[in-house]
Amino acid sequence: MKRGKKYVQARGQFDRQQLFPLEEGVATVKKLAYAKFDETVELSINLNIKKSQSVRDTVVLPHQFTAEKKVLVFAKGDKAQEAEEAGATYVGDADLVEKIKGGWLDFDVAVATPDMMKDVGRLGPILGRRGLMPNPKTQTVTFDIKGALAELKKGRVEFRSDKTGVIHLAVGKVSMEPAKVAENINIIMNEVEKKRPSDVKGDFVKTVTVSSTMGPGVKIDFREAGV
């Protein structure tokens, strides 16, 4: 892949094969960032799993770095009122289903009560492709609407391995203190380790790489204590 001059210059400022301690690696990513905007710090975790396996869960990050998410809630009656009182951006049932069918998608995450999933399920081809489909595994299909919204506002994010066994996840901004980004990564790594399939032989995590939106990847020594 042909790279730009600034990327090539950044890549030449460090040993690409070196394994960095976590916080030092994040500080290196921060130093190498060259874009004029506040780049996102991205984490890539390469896992030793079979093609048929998937590692997926949610985690609440201690240090937020994005604007508050627009949360849509599919609910009726008392649960709809609960969602409104808890601060949901949009609340509805059949009306929202029809609106989304018409092409409207001005929200970041969708939550649904279990009794709504029969109707919401028809939106699978639309929401599924965009990662917006409510799912019990990510605690977005629940009767505890108040609790779900509270966690989403605190910074709950979802991680999921792709078809190649890699988890890609935003973990901070280059403007943040490296220690705070490192803490976010530690929380994620601990949760990923808990999802280790029982039949994995050898190392579960193969490599961990941190990069900025535009910058080169820095390899992290994830075997160090605390990672």
Side-chain angles (χ1 to χ4, degrees):
M1 182 184 296
K2 189 174 181 180
R3 297 288 191 177
K5 182 178 179 180
K6 290 183 178 180
Y7 179 94
V8 173
Q9 289 176 339
R11 189 174 60 186
Q13 293 180 43
F14 71 106
D15 181 357
R16 295 169 62 196
Q17 300 308 312
Q18 180 180 346
L19 291 177
F20 288 82
L22 178 54
E23 192 170 332
E24 183 182 340
V26 173
T28 300
V29 167
K30 182 183 180 77
K31 182 179 71 175
L32 296 174
Y34 56 83
K36 294 182 179 179
F37 61 90
D38 188 10
E39 295 181 61
T40 298
V41 179
E42 300 173 358
L43 174 69
S44 295
I45 309 169
N46 190 359
L47 301 176
N48 174 26
I49 56 176
K50 300 173 183 177
K51 290 184 178 180
S52 60
Q53 294 174 319
S54 177
V55 172
R56 179 180 186 180
D57 207 340
T58 60
V59 61
V60 176
L61 299 180
H63 304 290
Q64 295 187 54
F65 55 92
T66 59
E68 188 170 306
K69 294 179 179 179
K70 296 179 182 178
V71 183
L72 178 149
V73 177
F74 295 102
K76 299 178 180 179
D78 292 344
K79 288 300 174 181
Q81 183 176 345
E82 180 182 327
E84 291 175 354
E85 292 174 351
T89 312
Y90 307 105
V91 183
D93 45 77
D95 57 325
L96 287 182
V97 172
E98 292 304 314
K99 192 172 181 179
I100 291 170
K101 283 183 178 179
W104 177 78
L105 289 166
D106 185 26
F107 56 95
D108 302 305
V109 59
V111 177
T113 53
D115 59 312
M116 284 296 305
M117 287 307 294
K118 182 178 179 181
D119 296 322
V120 177
R122 298 200 298 268
L123 299 174
I126 300 172
L127 299 183
R129 288 197 301 269
R130 295 167 176 81
L132 294 171
M133 190 68 182
N135 190 307
K137 292 182 179 180
T138 59
Q139 292 88 55
T140 49
V141 176
T142 177
F143 279 120
D144 184 13
I145 297 297
K146 183 178 180 180
L149 287 172
E151 284 213 342
L152 286 168
K153 287 185 176 182
K154 283 192 291 185
R156 190 177 79 187
V157 296
E158 178 185 359
F159 61 81
R160 183 178 186 178
S161 57
D162 62 20
K163 293 179 180 179
T164 64
V166 178
I167 293 174
H168 298 282
L169 190 67
V171 292
K173 292 286 187 178
V174 296
S175 60
M176 291 172 61
E177 296 175 16
K180 291 184 176 180
V181 178
E183 188 175 351
N184 280 351
I185 293 174
N186 263 324
I187 295 294
I188 293 166
M189 293 300 300
N190 288 334
E191 289 302 314
V192 168
E193 188 62 42
K194 291 177 184 177
K195 306 302 291 186
R196 177 188 178 118
S198 59
D199 61 347
V200 169
K201 296 181 180 179
D203 292 333
F204 175 41
V205 176
K206 294 196 288 187
T207 61
V208 175
T209 305
V210 180
S211 64
S212 63
T213 305
M214 305 295 289
V218 173
K219 294 182 179 180
I220 300 299
D221 187 357
F222 58 91
R223 293 181 179 86
E224 285 213 341
V227 181

